[in-house]
Amino acid sequence: MNFIDYHLHINDLHLNYSDALDILHVTDHSPDNPVVAETIQVFTQLEDIADIHGGYIVYGEITIDKDSGVISIEDKHINPGKQVCGYMKEAEKIALFVCTAGEVFSSCSNRYNKEGDYLKGFIIDTVGSLVVERSMDLIQQKLESDFSRSGLRITNRYSPGYCNWPTQDQRQLFSLLPENPCNIRLSDSALMIPVKSVSGIMGIGKGVRKRAYSCSICKNKTCIFRKVNSNQK
């Protein structure tokens, strides 16, 4: 199996500072708002600090056991749980993905926090999360386009730590990827380094479908997109 590798430029994402303001729950977008001013300043730095690298590998030898919540891939297993396995039940193939926005978002955020500039530290941390998720959106679109030519569809993407998938299963997931994919490595506690990284799976098949994310039954309370959804209710 080949790992499909992408290096993306920040301009590929077509981001606007208002995207970050939405996540930050900022309703006053006037330029004299200090949060707006700081966010705009962070966006002027993105071309210099973003180091976007992502990709995926597709496996066809899979078995999905919804009852046990286990997906067998070749001779290995991942344990996303019953909920995710239910979403994957019609999958004929599984794509495992990773993507990172790079090291600098976290290092800049930590530096600003140490200097006492907590606002800018928080903003740059949030923007890093936005960059990696939007980058993965683009890679997902590329995967979807590639497989649509064969009449196949894809599911939403699901990650350890979300939809009740234990974060500790990250090690099993990474065992099915190349070593340090996209220069991402795991800490002793199975967290990804760089921090602004994502990983997970997508199902591929004629019978799969995308669905609305069920935030109400996911236990991850720190998801930035949960905050946006809650703000819109």
Side-chain angles (χ1 to χ4, degrees), residues 96-153:
L96 280 65
F97 67 83
V98 291
C99 186
T100 183
E103 293 270 11
V104 182
F105 284 98
S106 295
S107 61
C108 283
S109 177
N110 291 336
R111 175 166 55 84
Y112 287 128
N113 287 334
K114 287 180 180 178
E115 293 171 354
D117 193 345
Y118 301 112
L119 175 59
K120 185 169 283 187
F122 179 65
I123 290 171
I124 203 165
D125 182 82
T126 300
V127 171
S129 297
L130 177 62
V131 167
V132 71
E133 290 292 348
R134 286 293 181 86
S135 301
M136 195 57 227
D137 286 345
L138 189 56
I139 293 172
Q140 182 175 355
Q141 289 167 15
K142 293 177 182 294
L143 182 148
E144 185 171 24
S145 176
D146 288 345
F147 278 96
S148 67
R149 300 188 187 103
S150 304
L152 300 176
R153 297 185 291 185

Side-chain angles (χ1 to χ4, degrees), residues 13-22 29 39-40 43 46 127 130 134:
L13 309 184
H14 304 292
L15 286 174
N16 188 282
Y17 70 88
S18 62
D19 297 321
L21 294 176
D22 288 341
H29 289 197
T39 303
I40 291 172
F43 265 72
L46 287 184
V127 171
L130 177 62
R134 286 293 181 86

Side-chain angles (χ1 to χ4, degrees), residues 59-204:
Y59 286 95
E61 188 181 326
I62 64 169
T63 303
I64 300 169
D65 189 335
K66 183 182 175 183
D67 293 332
S68 66
V70 173
I71 299 177
S72 300
I73 302 175
E74 295 190 343
D75 60 345
K76 296 183 179 179
H77 309 281
I78 57 175
N79 304 273
K82 296 179 181 180
Q83 183 181 345
V84 173
C85 284
Y87 299 150
M88 298 283 161
K89 63 182 179 180
E90 301 296 332
E92 302 163 33
K93 305 174 187 287
I94 292 286
L96 280 65
F97 67 83
V98 291
C99 186
T100 183
E103 293 270 11
V104 182
F105 284 98
S106 295
S107 61
C108 283
S109 177
N110 291 336
R111 175 166 55 84
Y112 287 128
N113 287 334
K114 287 180 180 178
E115 293 171 354
D117 193 345
Y118 301 112
L119 175 59
K120 185 169 283 187
F122 179 65
I123 290 171
I124 203 165
D125 182 82
T126 300
V127 171
S129 297
L130 177 62
V131 167
V132 71
E133 290 292 348
R134 286 293 181 86
S135 301
M136 195 57 227
D137 286 345
L138 189 56
I139 293 172
Q140 182 175 355
Q141 289 167 15
K142 293 177 182 294
L143 182 148
E144 185 171 24
S145 176
D146 288 345
F147 278 96
S148 67
R149 300 188 187 103
S150 304
L152 300 176
R153 297 185 291 185
I154 68 170
T155 67
N156 304 67
R157 60 182 189 263
Y158 299 97
S159 299
Y162 296 83
C163 294
N164 308 315
W165 183 354
T167 304
Q168 295 89 333
D169 204 47
Q170 196 85 259
R171 293 199 182 282
Q172 283 72 23
L173 183 69
F174 268 64
S175 73
L176 289 153
L177 292 163
E179 185 176 1
N180 296 334
C182 302
N183 297 319
I184 301 170
R185 63 192 188 279
L186 294 180
S187 71
D188 292 341
S189 56
L191 297 178
M192 287 180 287
I193 304 171
V195 173
K196 296 306 173 186
S197 302
V198 294
S199 66
I201 62 174
M202 290 175 276
I204 303 167

